[in-house]
Amino acid sequence: MPFLLGTVSFKMTAKYAIILAAGQGTRMKSKLYKVLHPVCGKSMVDHVLTELEKDQLDEIVTIVGHGAQKVKETLGKRTRYALQAEQLGTGHAVLQAEDILGDKAGMTLITCGDTPLFTAETFAKLFEYHEKSGAAATVLTAKTDKPFGYGRIIRNNRDEVEKIVEQKDATPEEALVNEINTGVYCFDNQALFESLHQVNNDNAQGEYYLPDVIEILKSQGKAVGAYCMPEFEESMGVNDRSALAKATAIMQRRINEKHMKNGVTLIDPTSTYIDVDVEIGADTVIEPGVLLKGKTKIGSDCVIGAHSEIRNSTLEDGIEVKASFLEDAYMHNNSNIGPYSHLRPQADIGEGVHIGNFVEVKKAKLGKNTKVGHLTYVGDATLGKEINVGCGTVFVNYDGQNKHHTNVGDYSFIGSGSNIIAPVELADHSYVAAGSTITNDVASHEMAIARGRQVNKPGYYDRYPVAKAALENEKKDQ
């Protein structure tokens, strides 16, 4: 896009990217296509696209093949797509983007969808280096003390890239070089597509390889540069489950470091698992063994107790969670839960609400300062404020075919061991006696008792088989 500075007109160089995501990934030994395997809550190819998006490129094209529809469903309209129907090599894959990018002027970055650790900063520096150098191609490189298996970057005495030598073709001297090819490139876009048409498949695999473009450009006398990035671990490609675990560990370390720098206390970062899109406020404490997944948002001054798992849930400020499982739930300020309780989807826990141990809440709203102490199920219900729900209460919401709703008014009391059979209305200031089964509405200030009258049977205990043994043991104790 052109802009004016004084009386001089400038035009920014257009920037494009191509993500190679067509491979099946047989070494993963999985029904799931390789680039869709998740790393910290997001597929590998989504990580790559997300970082490229941060650099505000003019166009991003994703090359799809195996699992094309699944990849498109994952990435949506954030990128354009080109299909590589046959897997004929990386050069052939890039060529499939020609209809979209072939006639454009500018720079094109090419990366792979199975490299989730690259950052937007690294991509931006590669673009910047390439543009300033004026090269036709720039290779992104890194240095490692374990270069075995990687293509080596061979430079001449002017520090220019002379060639890229694969491991199997390297001489003993070349094999000692510790600067390696990461598989990421930046090209002059028009030079890229012109050269791709000159690549042949005269090799053992019969495929068209992208690195051959480097040799073609060199043979034409065009400059080829290399930008050496500082962090080798960013370049990790994932080809099997072992590499997937290593990439996840690196990504998790990054995520945890980010939260700690932002004022979150992680008691044991090595045992704390936080997905990439999770948000956490300052002065929140995360204890060991916690899993925070999906789009979870946690406010400030919260305590997430050891071995809790929270998925796609929102917790406001001052929340305490003790060893509990939350999914698609919402907890308002200063509420608390646990230990060993479960918030299921559409649980809405009001301000100051207390949920004790072994409580399950599903599709229910609990008003301010309501208390559900323990051993209770609340489903398909709306509870007002300042309600006490006794131990062992069950909101019976399912008749075998349909779910039904219960409403409980403010300042009501539900005694222990009660069954609330939906649909039913309990008005404000209503009272349910312990052990009742409620099937009818309860009006304000009424007490509902729904239980049989107690009957005592004299001598009944002696009829039990265990009675004789118990009496004998009693005599021995005397």
Side-chain angles (χ1 to χ4, degrees):
M1 179 180 294
F3 63 94
L4 293 176
L5 181 63
T7 58
V8 182
S9 177
F10 295 90
K11 182 174 174 43
M12 298 291 289
T13 303
K15 295 185 291 185
Y16 314 103
I18 297 173
I19 303 173
L20 304 182
Q24 186 173 12
T26 55
R27 279 183 282 175
M28 296 297 286
K29 296 184 174 15
S30 175
K31 295 183 290 296
L32 184 65
Y33 302 104
K34 180 171 70 169
V35 298
L36 296 181
H37 278 266
V39 172
C40 296
K42 183 180 287 188
S43 69
M44 292 192 287
V45 69
D46 196 345
H47 277 292
V48 176
L49 177 58
T50 297
E51 295 305 305
L52 287 169
E53 287 173 324
K54 294 176 183 178
D55 289 330
Q56 299 180 326
L57 308 186
D58 294 274
E59 192 86 79
I60 301 173
V61 180
T62 301
I63 310 299
V64 294
H66 290 288
Q69 188 57 39
K70 291 292 185 182
V71 174
K72 290 180 180 180
E73 289 172 4
T74 298
L75 303 182
K77 297 181 180 179
R78 296 157 55 197
T79 173
R80 296 185 68 179
Y81 300 94
L83 177 66
Q84 186 187 24
E86 294 183 87
Q87 311 301 294
L88 300 177
T90 52
H92 177 261
V94 174
L95 195 58
Q96 307 314 300
E98 186 172 30
D99 288 346
I100 300 173
L101 298 178
D103 61 347
K104 298 181 184 295
M107 303 178 288
T108 296
L109 184 149
I110 300 173
T111 188
C112 296
D114 61 358
T115 53
L117 299 176
F118 280 118
T119 65
E121 181 181 13
T122 295
F123 289 146
K125 287 181 177 179
L126 177 59
F127 273 121
E128 181 182 7
Y129 183 93
H130 176 79
E131 185 171 24
K132 287 181 177 179
S133 72
T138 303
V139 184
L140 181 64
T141 71
K143 290 184 178 180
T144 174
D145 58 357
K146 297 180 179 179
F148 185 84
Y150 292 93
R152 308 300 203 280
I153 302 299
I154 308 302
R155 296 176 181 262
N156 60 24
N157 56 12
R158 295 187 300 275
D159 206 33
E160 300 168 338
V161 176
E162 188 69 32
K163 58 182 177 177
I164 302 173
V165 180
E166 296 303 320
Q167 174 73 44
K168 64 181 183 302
D169 300 321
T171 66
E173 293 78 14
E174 290 170 338
L176 295 174
V177 173
N178 68 350
E179 185 179 9
I180 58 94
N181 178 16
T182 67
V184 177
Y185 307 86
C186 193
F187 291 95
D188 173 90
N189 188 66
Q190 292 176 335
L192 168 64
F193 285 102
E194 289 171 3
S195 300
L196 281 171
H197 285 286
Q198 301 175 47
V199 173
N200 63 53
N201 64 345
D202 186 17
N203 52 62
Q205 283 72 35
E207 295 184 350
Y208 301 88
Y209 293 130
L210 181 61
D212 289 354
V213 171
I214 300 297
E215 295 298 320
I216 291 169
L217 293 173
K218 289 285 293 182
S219 69
Q220 295 172 350
K222 295 178 179 178
V224 174
Y227 169 67
C228 187
M229 65 181 190
E231 296 294 336
F232 168 72
E233 70 178 15
E234 270 193 46
S235 67
M236 177 184 291
V238 175
N239 291 311
D240 56 29
R241 305 296 178 120
S242 177
L244 182 67
K246 291 176 184 177
T248 298
I250 294 168
M251 182 70 74
Q252 191 63 80
R253 187 176 71 242
R254 285 185 193 172
I255 293 168
N256 291 357
E257 287 289 339
K258 178 193 72 172
H259 287 297
M260 288 189 287
K261 287 178 181 178
N262 289 337
V264 178
T265 296
L266 304 185
I267 301 299
D268 181 10
T270 62
S271 67
T272 303
Y273 301 90
I274 304 174
D275 278 353
V276 66
D277 290 328
V278 171
E279 300 175 20
I280 310 174
D283 291 316
T284 284
V285 177
I286 311 294
E287 295 184 349
V290 168
L291 284 79
L292 305 177
K293 304 181 77 64
K295 302 291 185 180
T296 291
K297 296 181 180 180
I298 298 175
S300 300
D301 303 300
C302 298
V303 177
I304 311 301
H307 310 298
S308 295
E309 182 172 346
I310 303 175
R311 297 182 178 181
N312 297 313
S313 297
T314 298
L315 283 64
E316 293 184 348
D317 299 335
I319 307 294
E320 184 175 8
V321 178
K322 296 179 181 177
S324 293
F325 181 33
L326 285 63
E327 51 181 330
D328 299 293
Y330 198 108
M331 294 185 71
H332 295 263
N333 291 328
N334 303 310
S335 55
N336 62 83
I337 183 172
Y340 312 119
S341 287
H342 185 185
L343 297 186
R344 291 171 59 191
Q346 300 182 57
D348 188 333
I349 310 306
E351 182 179 351
V353 167
H354 166 67
I355 295 177
N357 52 303
F358 300 104
V359 173
E360 182 174 340
V361 180
K362 189 272 299 180
K363 198 178 180 182
K365 183 174 183 178
L366 280 61
K368 184 177 181 180
N369 294 334
T370 285
K371 295 177 175 58
V372 184
H374 40 281
L375 298 165
T376 290
Y377 172 70
V378 183
D380 288 276
T382 300
L383 281 63
K385 62 185 179 182
E386 304 283 354
I387 296 170
N388 186 86
V389 180
C391 173
T393 295
V394 177
F395 283 73
V396 184
N397 58 327
Y398 183 52
D399 64 8
Q401 287 187 314
N402 299 301
K403 300 288 183 71
H404 300 281
H405 199 81
T406 293
N407 292 309
V408 182
D410 299 342
Y411 303 100
S412 295
F413 182 95
I414 300 176
S416 297
S418 296
N419 294 310
I420 312 299
I421 313 295
V424 70
E425 301 277 337
L426 280 63
D428 294 350
H429 302 280
S430 60
Y431 192 105
V432 173
S436 295
T437 296
I438 302 300
T439 58
N440 297 317
D441 294 350
V442 182
S444 182
H445 295 274
E446 285 185 347
M447 180 177 73
I449 305 175
R451 60 192 184 207
R453 183 178 298 276
Q454 180 173 331
V455 177
N456 294 347
K457 302 288 186 178
Y460 192 85
Y461 174 83
D462 298 335
R463 294 165 55 183
Y464 278 98
V466 296
K468 291 181 180 180
L471 289 171
E472 289 176 359
N473 289 336
E474 185 179 9
K475 289 178 182 179
K476 291 178 183 179
D477 292 338
Q478 292 176 347

